[in-house]
Amino acid sequence: MRPVHPTPSEDRVRVGARLRASRQAQRLTIEQLASATNLTKGFISRVERDETSPSVATLVTICQVLSLPIGSLFEGAETEVVTLADAPLINMGGRGAVERMITPRGQSHVQVLRSTLQPGADGGDELYTINCDVEVVHVINGKVDVRFSDKTVSLSAGDTLTFSGHELHSWRNTGPSIAEILWTLVPAAWSGTV
């Protein structure tokens, strides 16, 4: 019996989109990257569109200029499902609220919380801030008022409010029924064990 050798996958490894995203994130033009790597603009463009496969040495050079670990080009996309039933309960200090963190605990770029608010539930008597740059409130159902130091914004089902996480605020379920709210915090206000 002869040994059977593995055969390569029919799917080509595609690294172009990651290279392009890294270049664009650094605000480099194709011309600047070509100049820094001693490659042509056309070649860089074809690599980014996965129309050609660079040699290992060329790929290493491109990655060095982009300060991109070469191994990151071949990593699979990170995905993680958090079911609502398994989402950990958290306490943001509100009254009459059941709150769950529905993004993974270790996610540091963004954090999404889902709150179920009883009628009359509120964020407390004092205005507060969250340790994030941007806060987004989306009302799934019900009615919620978000109070700031100089105004109050009334939200209904389907409404979304975006504001600075550093702005003093609080909230209240002003409707006669339970309200469901999604809070998105960018970057995550905290990660790890809650």
Side-chain angles (χ1 to χ4, degrees):
M1 182 173 186
R2 297 180 68 182
V4 178
H5 297 286
T7 58
S9 169
E10 295 292 323
D11 298 328
R12 285 187 38 211
V13 175
R14 300 192 181 278
V15 299
R18 290 185 182 185
L19 290 170
R20 182 184 318 106
S22 180
R23 175 183 58 77
Q24 290 173 339
Q26 297 175 52
R27 294 183 167 81
L28 289 173
T29 65
I30 288 179
E31 185 173 0
Q32 290 168 321
L33 180 59
S35 175
T37 57
N38 292 319
L39 299 168
T40 67
K41 292 188 304 185
F43 181 77
I44 296 289
S45 178
R46 286 191 307 278
V47 168
E48 288 186 353
R49 292 190 318 261
D50 288 311
E51 292 177 357
T52 189
S53 296
S55 69
V56 172
T58 300
L59 194 56
V60 167
T61 300
I62 293 170
C63 286
Q64 285 174 336
V65 169
L66 294 174
S67 298
L68 182 67
I70 194 164
S72 70
L73 294 175
F74 306 101
E75 294 172 350
E78 289 185 36
T79 59
E80 186 173 341
V81 174
V82 177
T83 64
L84 187 57
D86 293 333
L89 289 169
I90 60 171
N91 182 353
M92 293 292 288
R95 298 179 290 217
V98 175
E99 298 171 308
R100 295 182 179 274
M101 186 168 56
I102 59 174
T103 44
R105 289 180 187 266
Q107 175 55 259
S108 62
H109 299 291
V110 66
Q111 197 158 51
V112 181
L113 313 174
R114 183 171 176 144
S115 300
T116 302
L117 311 175
Q118 295 299 318
D122 64 37
D125 297 326
E126 301 293 323
L127 298 179
Y128 63 90
T129 62
I130 299 288
N131 183 26
C132 66
D133 294 332
V134 178
E135 193 167 340
V136 180
V137 182
H138 176 75
V139 181
I140 299 169
N141 60 56
K143 295 180 183 240
V144 174
D145 280 358
V146 180
R147 182 171 50 102
F148 299 96
S149 55
D150 62 342
K151 65 184 171 191
T152 298
V153 178
S154 297
L155 303 172
S156 298
D159 292 344
T160 304
L161 172 66
T162 302
F163 56 96
S164 169
H166 306 291
E167 189 167 346
L168 287 166
H169 66 283
S170 192
W171 53 268
R172 175 181 293 277
N173 177 356
T174 56
S177 59
I178 290 174
E180 295 282 338
I181 310 295
L182 288 180
W183 303 86
T184 303
L185 312 175
V186 180
W190 69 89
S191 61
T193 304
V194 178

